Amino acid sequence: MDRYRTPTVSLAEAYHVAQRWLTFLGAVPEKITEPADGIIELRSAGLVTRIKFDRVAIAPSAILAMLKATDGEPVRRLLFSVTGFTDGAKSLGESRGFGLFDIDAIGDVHPHTTYARSLIPSEPLEPAFLHTPTSDDEQSEIPVHPFGPPDESADTEWTDCPRCGVTQHHSVDVCVSCGADMTERGRVVAPSVPTGRSPVVTQRQVASATPPPTAVPRAPAGGPRLRCRTCGSHDIELQHG
């Protein structure tokens, strides 16, 4: 008994190959049926074609079943397999004038009988799945930079304040945290990855954003002087309200 074989293609793919091959020969299928599970039958003028999907090599029983189904009809018979044929099936198909073909993984058709070989066109048909892209091919077609080349100017310098250590954009002249000088003389180059802690701020923006100092109200010069009972300080802020 023949051992299990892995089908080269699925039943739907085998149907696509056979239908495409018959159309190329000029025998366009006019009727398509499914007489049994795993079998698709295509009928055209004077020709009956069956595609049998199995997990073992096709045995003579498949040929006998097709002979019985078409008994008395003046037709020629073709049988396509996705797992090949046994020697007995090839011998029986040869004696009964069958055209036996098997289909490989790329959708090419291979004859196994005299009648089958006589149908092979002089100008061969390209296999149906010869140029089917694989997952590796699809990934290789993805551009390295799908949105254009990277902007090298975006990789700018970020600096650390020499006094407080806060990282900020290189265009800042005054530290936004402590007010230290951030010009070229005192700049320290930090890693190129921005921390996101400080926006781009100019010296003018820092100056305009800093509120003016508020005058601290003091006691009148000629009046009584206040003194803290705890520390003895006379520098005491008066609160009004």
Side-chain angles (χ1 to χ4, degrees):
M1 182 177 181
D2 287 282
R3 299 174 59 185
Y4 167 86
R5 299 185 183 185
T6 301
T8 54
V9 293
S10 67
L11 180 59
E13 291 171 332
Y15 161 74
H16 171 71
V17 171
Q19 188 269 346
R20 177 173 175 267
W21 193 78
L22 290 171
T23 301
F24 184 74
L25 293 183
V28 180
E30 301 171 353
K31 182 179 179 181
I32 302 171
T33 59
E34 191 173 359
D37 186 33
I39 297 176
I40 296 178
E41 185 174 282
L42 302 89
R43 286 180 172 259
S44 52
L47 188 67
V48 178
T49 303
R50 280 194 174 187
I51 307 159
K52 183 170 176 57
F53 183 86
D54 208 332
R55 299 189 182 276
V56 295
I58 301 300
S61 58
I63 296 175
L64 294 174
M66 191 172 179
L67 283 171
K68 182 178 180 180
T70 57
D71 186 32
E73 297 184 44
V75 293
R76 302 301 300 264
R77 302 167 182 86
L78 306 182
L79 183 58
F80 286 81
S81 170
V82 297
T83 48
F85 298 88
T86 64
D87 292 338
K90 294 177 183 178
S91 177
L92 181 60
E94 186 69 44
S95 63
R96 297 301 182 97
F98 270 65
L100 302 184
F101 301 89
D102 64 11
I103 302 171
D104 63 18
I106 62 172
D108 201 6
V109 175
H110 303 279
H112 287 279
T113 57
T114 302
Y115 179 56
R117 286 187 287 271
S118 70
L119 295 177
I120 297 296
S122 57
E123 182 179 343
L125 176 64
E126 184 180 83
F129 311 125
L130 182 61
H131 299 297
T132 301
T134 63
S135 58
D136 293 338
D137 294 334
E138 292 173 352
Q139 292 178 1
S140 64
E141 293 176 359
I142 300 175
V144 177
H145 303 295
F147 302 104
D151 183 7
E152 296 180 357
S153 62
D155 187 16
T156 55
E157 291 182 352
W158 287 73
T159 59
D160 286 345
C161 174
R163 179 187 296 173
C164 66
V166 174
T167 304
Q168 47 212 302
H169 196 267
H170 69 88
S171 64
V172 176
D173 295 328
V174 178
C175 177
V176 296
S177 177
C178 67
D181 180 21
M182 292 289 293
T183 57
E184 290 291 342
R185 181 177 299 177
R187 180 174 300 172
V188 180
V189 178
S192 61
V193 180
T195 62
R197 290 181 289 178
S198 303
V200 178
V201 182
T202 63
Q203 185 175 3
R204 180 177 298 178
Q205 290 173 323
V206 173
S208 63
T210 305
T214 304
V216 178
R218 299 181 181 275
R225 300 183 66 185
L226 301 179
R227 182 173 64 85
C228 178
R229 294 179 179 178
T230 302
C231 65
S233 173
H234 293 284
D235 188 11
I236 299 175
E237 179 182 354
L238 296 180
Q239 300 289 336
H240 299 279

